Amino acid sequence: MTAARTPAHGPLAGVRVLELAGIGPGPFAAMLLADLGADVVRVDRPGGTGLALNPEHDVTNRNKRSVIVDLKSPDGPARVLGLAARAHILIEGYRPGVAERLGVGPEDCHARNAALVYGRMTGWGQQGPLAHRAGHDIAYIALTGTLGMIGSPDQPPAVPANLIGDYAGGSLYLVVGVLAALHHARATGTGQVVDAAIVDGAAHLTAMIHGMLAAGRWQDRRAANLLDGGCPFYGTYETADGQYMAVGALEQQFYDEFVHLLGIADSAPARTDVTRWSDLREAVAARFKTRTRDEWTAVFEGTDACVAPVLSLREAPHHPHLAARGTFTDHGGTTQPAPAPRFSVTPTTVRTGPARPGADTADVARDWDVPGLLND
């Protein structure tokens, strides 16, 4: 009997990714590819990228290797092009035209490697009136209508960290794009440019909402709808100890269990009477204020009422369900999210901690067969 073959680390084992160092969505996208098993080589700049974070704690650089190349030096572009010739995917996050001026744009890279997938990560995209403007996550989601959906109607829109723009609308769409283009390149031998703009991705995330808006099922204002906090049985409530519980009892059977366990089943206004939603909200809020978060967690534990405690970043890894699944892991003393999603045949793992700038130059030159990378 032939011995079972040990599976590679992730379904992208054997895929070579070249990341031109930046901050935000580009590194996160490259981390996701690395988590999935790709050999990601990050080209760091002398002096770093300007992110005020000790490299040993930059989780977005885990599972990667690093080389340092000064693209403004005479031999810098040639060294990067040597790597691009061996890569399957390249990721860069410069403003439009910068990579071309540095000599590592798509035309230069495709001249060395016609099958290369060239992924471009920007906020505004490669074309359009704002393409060359500076920007950050908050501005990108502001223009797409996404930011304006979030928060209370009597308060400014709530800022959702940089999750919706940088990572959901940016990184995840870039990863989908480069993997789709890689599939095409392997079938045809022809690479292409993937223009991943955060404004495009963040807008795309609102597809269902736009459908509801067109159908008259969504009001174009904050906290007036089923999923934006306007609904009293889909939102958050403060508890006696100043913590919060999250309620998502949308379906009738879940709602029935929710109001029963909350203790207001006989007194709550009918949930179908939208004109009395404010009364229902007040009743729910008053009940939650009578007990602590932990007490309410115990009440709803093991039920289908669709209620959960709102945990902090430090609390989340200790929740019994997340701990049982290993949703978070510890590597090198840093607690961090484990790779996702999960695969039955090619499991993923955190193989190495954050790459230290320039620490892997010799190994990469050998493994990718790019001896010119070692030239100073």
Side-chain angles (χ1 to χ4, degrees), residues 24-174:
F28 187 87
M31 181 205 75
L32 180 50
L33 295 171
D35 283 354
L36 296 179
D39 180 8
V40 177
V41 171
R42 177 178 167 94
V43 178
D44 279 302
R45 313 169 194 171
T49 60
L51 184 64
L53 182 66
N54 188 321
E56 69 179 87
H57 297 303
D58 189 352
V59 172
T60 63
N61 281 331
R62 72 186 185 191
N63 288 336
K64 302 178 183 178
R65 299 191 286 179
S66 169
V67 302
I68 291 179
V69 176
D70 183 359
L71 275 167
K72 295 182 179 180
S73 68
D75 67 339
R79 295 169 72 185
V80 169
L81 291 174
L83 289 165
R86 299 291 188 178
H88 300 103
I89 297 169
L90 182 148
I91 290 175
E92 61 95 354
Y94 302 129
R95 293 197 206 188
V98 172
E100 284 83 350
R101 291 198 296 273
L102 291 172
V104 293
E107 186 174 342
D108 295 302
C109 289
H110 284 142
R112 299 288 300 274
N113 181 357
L116 180 70
V117 172
Y118 196 104
R120 316 198 82 165
M121 182 75 263
T122 61
W124 304 114
Q126 297 298 310
Q127 297 86 28
L130 296 177
H132 294 275
R133 297 289 186 184
H136 281 294
D137 176 289
I138 193 168
Y140 309 139
I141 66 174
L143 285 194
T144 60
T146 315
L147 179 62
M149 294 168 50
I150 305 170
S152 301
D154 57 347
Q155 297 288 330
V159 180
N162 66 331
L163 302 177
I164 293 177
D166 280 354
Y167 298 141
S171 304
L172 298 186
Y173 278 86
L174 176 62

Side-chain angles (χ1 to χ4, degrees), residues 6-19:
T6 301
H9 289 292
L12 294 185
V15 174
R16 293 189 295 274
V17 177
L18 184 62
E19 174 197 355

Side-chain angles (χ1 to χ4, degrees), residues 123-373:
W124 304 114
Q126 297 298 310
Q127 297 86 28
L130 296 177
H132 294 275
R133 297 289 186 184
H136 281 294
D137 176 289
I138 193 168
Y140 309 139
I141 66 174
L143 285 194
T144 60
T146 315
L147 179 62
M149 294 168 50
I150 305 170
S152 301
D154 57 347
Q155 297 288 330
V159 180
N162 66 331
L163 302 177
I164 293 177
D166 280 354
Y167 298 141
S171 304
L172 298 186
Y173 278 86
L174 176 62
V175 168
V176 170
V178 297
L179 291 181
L182 178 63
H183 175 75
H184 174 266
R186 286 181 163 176
T188 66
T190 303
Q192 60 185 301
V193 175
V194 177
D195 176 4
I198 294 173
V199 289
D200 296 345
H204 194 262
L205 290 170
T206 66
M208 182 189 76
I209 305 299
H210 274 280
M212 296 174 71
L213 185 66
R217 299 289 300 277
W218 190 274
Q219 298 183 60
D220 197 12
R221 54 192 178 91
R222 287 193 299 285
N225 302 283
L226 195 64
L227 302 175
D228 65 354
C231 172
F233 40 93
Y234 195 89
T236 56
Y237 291 92
E238 187 176 2
T239 55
D241 55 345
Q243 300 295 317
Y244 291 87
M245 298 294 290
V247 177
L250 291 176
E251 292 81 1
Q252 185 68 52
Q253 69 270 29
F254 304 147
Y255 176 81
D256 291 342
E257 189 162 6
F258 164 61
V259 292
H260 170 70
L261 292 170
L262 193 65
I264 62 171
D266 297 329
S267 59
R271 79 184 209 131
T272 54
D273 186 354
V274 178
T275 64
R276 296 200 63 194
W277 268 10
S278 61
D279 296 331
L280 178 56
R281 183 186 309 282
E282 290 178 6
V284 172
R287 281 296 294 162
F288 271 120
K289 273 295 192 76
T290 64
R291 299 185 185 183
T292 66
R293 186 188 68 178
D294 289 348
E295 289 172 333
W296 282 119
T297 298
V299 168
F300 290 105
E301 187 72 27
T303 75
D304 279 343
C306 300
V307 178
V310 178
L311 303 181
S312 72
L313 290 173
R314 293 191 185 278
E315 290 175 315
H318 303 290
H319 186 276
H321 179 77
L322 303 185
R325 282 186 59 81
T327 299
F328 292 87
T329 187
D330 185 285
H331 191 281
T334 299
T335 300
Q336 57 197 275
R342 305 181 186 199
F343 299 85
S344 62
V345 177
T346 54
T348 58
T349 185
V350 178
R351 304 182 301 279
T352 63
R356 304 300 178 91
D360 308 293
T361 303
D363 289 342
V364 171
R366 179 195 66 231
D367 297 343
W368 283 34
D369 192 22
V370 187
L373 187 63

